[in-house]
Amino acid sequence: MTTVAKQDPADSARIKAIEEKLLANPEMAKLIDELGTSTTDANDLVRGLLQASINRGLNAEMDAHLGYGHSDRDGKTAAGQGNHRNGYYPKRVDSNYGPIDVAVPRDRNGSFLPTMVPKGSRRLTDVDDMIISLYAGGMTVRDIQHHMITSMGVDISHETISAITDAVLDEVMIWQNRQLDDFYPVIFLDALRIKVRDGGRVVNKSVYLAIGVDMDGIKHILGIWLAKEEGASFWANVCANLATRGVQDVFIVCCDGLKGLPQAVEATWPDSMVQTCVVHLIRAANRWVAYGDRKAVSAQLRKIYTAPTEDTAIAALEEFEASELGVKYPQSAKVWRDAWDRFIPFLQFPPMARKVIYTTNSIESMNNELRKATRNRVQFTNDESAIKTLWLMICNIEDKRAAKRAKQGKRVAASSGRLIEGRKVANWKQAINQMAVAFPDRFEAYL
């Protein structure tokens, strides 16, 4: 049995009041009569009403800009002769209901900037917002074009759709170059692989995301960087970018053994530590192990990263190497040996702090969402297109997460917003206290 939702009486009253006002307006009533007798197409009626309301709204904007109405001579005199109306110019904009012709008022000084139909715009914003939303959800330009034709009867070219999505590039640049905090206790770095057209051929490139945890435990996406090959020079540019944007110090950078990153971090922030993600080490070690033995191998490896000291950890590694499983899978032990210098900083931390830097899962969850969203795209046309698309996808993912948290009734930190995950790292208060006690010289200036 289908249940029909009852309309809110307050909404019904508002709708009725609006209808009465429309019918009471002689101009609007005349327009409705004309449209109703000239066509049976309801689309034309709505388009005509929209056109009339936009023209009326533009004139109201001009009245507010000048400080007096169109026929208000007394108001014009009171406002002085510094500025006044200077006719109109015609403009055609697309909408969900077809093209609309509007008359945009002008002023003598040329200082009037309409908001209903902004200068340079060729479409009403609802169409633009829909296209950007579909693009952010992972649909390709061709998919969007097909969707607009089939669902709305609006035929928009590939070039127009690209131009609409390109409009966010300025916003991307503002976000990518925004000021950051001067200190982040933890920064997580991770990458995903995408295909980008470069110089007439398609190549694999890595997209790197950085998530910084501030002193309150809130996670922020600090930036997006694209590279064909990682190395010391690339990471030096990334670190220089963060430093230029205000990051004066980082306590620890957690990553997956990225080549050249430790040297770049230590050169930019000499007191920082680079920590290899423990979960990545476990996965890399198990890559060489038969499925039936992975549980047993992981149990022995656990003794290494739960060891209280470096001496205990190396003893646990040697014990694994000498065991039957260690002899059977020597490459698993070699993974830990090769990463040892970047693993041992982990052992200096107290238990709660270890839980924070144990894994880069907080950034991997974002990357997994991005992989799902990019699945439809065989390739990106260029680097700018890749950055733009990924930024829009991140906005879309974060909006969905915020809506989910709001539905569940979870509180969101006051500083959270778009591109912020909106909740603190688990057990952050205990972790930051333990780190501050263990390393007082590093935290004293920021507490």
Side-chain angles (χ1 to χ4, degrees):
M1 180 178 177
T2 304
T3 302
V4 179
K6 293 183 178 179
Q7 191 173 39
D8 186 354
D11 289 338
S12 299
R14 281 195 295 269
I15 293 170
K16 188 176 181 179
I18 291 170
E19 289 174 348
E20 289 174 352
K21 284 183 179 180
L22 284 173
L23 293 174
N25 186 328
E27 294 180 9
M28 195 65 70
K30 183 180 177 182
L31 176 63
I32 292 172
D33 289 339
E34 289 176 354
L35 289 169
T37 56
S38 64
T39 180
T40 57
D41 187 0
N43 190 75
D44 287 351
L45 175 61
V46 177
R47 186 169 68 247
L49 290 171
L50 185 60
Q51 180 172 299
S53 64
I54 289 175
N55 283 324
R56 182 178 286 268
L58 288 170
N59 280 299
E61 283 191 54
M62 178 60 82
D63 290 346
H65 177 68
L66 295 175
Y68 59 89
H70 188 274
S71 302
D72 185 4
R73 294 186 179 277
D74 294 337
K76 183 177 180 179
T77 303
Q81 300 298 321
N83 194 14
H84 55 84
R85 293 175 181 270
N86 189 31
Y88 300 85
Y89 65 89
K91 185 169 186 173
R92 173 167 286 192
V93 292
D94 291 329
S95 74
N96 290 353
Y97 306 98
I100 292 175
D101 294 313
V102 294
V104 183
R106 291 183 295 203
D107 62 335
R108 177 65 66 180
N109 292 346
S111 56
F112 175 57
L113 297 174
T115 56
M116 290 191 74
V117 185
K119 285 189 175 181
S121 65
R122 290 292 177 266
R123 291 155 302 280
L124 297 182
T125 55
D126 53 355
V127 178
D128 291 30
D129 291 344
M130 178 178 288
I131 289 173
I132 289 174
S133 177
L134 294 172
Y135 195 82
M139 291 180 70
T140 64
V141 171
R142 291 186 183 276
D143 291 338
I144 293 171
Q145 185 187 37
H146 177 71
H147 174 79
M148 299 296 284
I149 293 173
T150 56
S151 65
M152 300 174 60
V154 178
D155 188 6
I156 301 179
S157 67
H158 296 77
E159 293 76 16
T160 301
I161 295 173
S162 295
I164 292 171
T165 57
D166 283 344
V168 304
L169 284 173
D170 289 342
E171 195 174 347
V172 176
M173 292 304 297
I174 291 171
W175 172 77
Q176 189 83 321
N177 293 289
R178 73 196 189 283
Q179 278 296 111
L180 303 174
D181 291 351
D182 56 352
F183 176 66
Y184 288 94
V186 184
I187 288 180
F188 298 101
L189 281 164
D190 197 27
L192 68 154
R193 300 286 283 177
I194 60 172
K195 294 184 182 295
V196 183
R197 182 167 290 280
D198 187 0
R201 61 194 184 94
V202 178
V203 298
N204 288 318
K205 291 190 177 184
S206 295
V207 178
Y208 294 94
L209 261 67
I211 288 184
V213 181
D214 65 18
M215 287 294 289
D216 294 322
I218 302 295
K219 293 180 281 189
H220 305 255
I221 298 180
L222 305 181
I224 309 171
W225 296 272
L226 195 65
K228 185 176 179 180
E229 294 179 359
E230 65 183 59
S233 60
F234 169 74
W235 287 115
N237 288 332
V238 171
C239 292
N241 175 270
L242 293 173
T244 302
R245 292 162 57 198
V247 182
Q248 299 176 13
D249 195 8
V250 178
F251 181 48
I252 190 163
V253 178
C254 186
C255 61
D256 178 23
L258 299 173
K259 184 180 178 182
L261 175 63
Q263 295 81 2
V265 169
E266 289 162 4
T268 309
W269 304 293
D271 297 327
S272 300
M273 290 185 284
V274 178
Q275 168 66 49
T276 296
C277 170
V278 175
V279 171
H280 275 92
L281 282 176
I282 298 169
R283 290 175 185 166
N286 274 316
R287 193 174 297 132
W288 308 93
V289 179
Y291 183 79
D293 291 332
R294 286 183 180 178
K295 189 173 182 179
V297 169
S298 297
Q300 291 205 33
L301 294 177
R302 190 174 188 279
K303 297 177 183 178
I304 301 173
Y305 59 83
T306 57
T309 64
E310 182 181 350
D311 291 338
T312 312
I314 194 66
L317 177 58
E318 291 171 350
E319 180 185 343
F320 170 69
E321 287 176 315
S323 69
E324 182 180 347
L325 288 172
V327 172
K328 187 176 181 180
Y329 303 110
Q331 189 64 32
S332 295
K334 186 176 183 298
V335 167
W336 285 82
R337 287 283 185 187
D338 293 344
W340 195 255
D341 288 343
R342 296 300 172 189
F343 160 69
I344 53 176
F346 177 81
L347 302 174
Q348 302 176 35
F349 295 98
M352 282 300 174
R354 287 191 184 188
K355 287 184 178 181
V356 172
I357 62 173
Y358 169 74
T359 177
T360 58
N361 275 353
S362 60
I363 195 169
E364 286 181 36
S365 64
M366 175 64 75
N367 280 345
N368 285 335
E369 292 287 338
L370 291 175
R371 288 187 185 97
K372 292 177 186 176
T374 57
R375 197 169 292 160
N376 292 337
R377 286 175 166 78
V378 178
Q379 65 189 40
F380 293 93
T381 53
N382 51 47
D383 288 2
E384 273 191 351
S385 172
I387 294 292
K388 170 191 70 177
T389 304
L390 291 166
W391 183 80
L392 284 170
M393 289 176 175
I394 289 170
C395 290
N396 191 44
I397 292 165
E398 287 300 314
D399 285 346
K400 287 180 180 177
R401 288 180 174 181
K404 184 178 179 180
R405 287 193 298 270
K407 187 176 181 180
Q408 293 172 346
K410 294 183 178 179
R411 293 184 62 188
V412 178
S415 62
S416 68
R418 175 166 279 187
L419 301 177
I420 302 173
E421 293 199 13
R423 60 183 176 86
K424 291 184 179 180
V425 174
N427 301 312
W428 176 252
K429 289 295 184 184
Q430 292 173 277
I432 193 68
N433 273 283
Q434 290 182 359
M435 285 190 282
V437 170
F439 302 90
D441 296 340
R442 299 289 284 112
F443 285 86
E444 185 176 358
Y446 308 107
L447 291 175

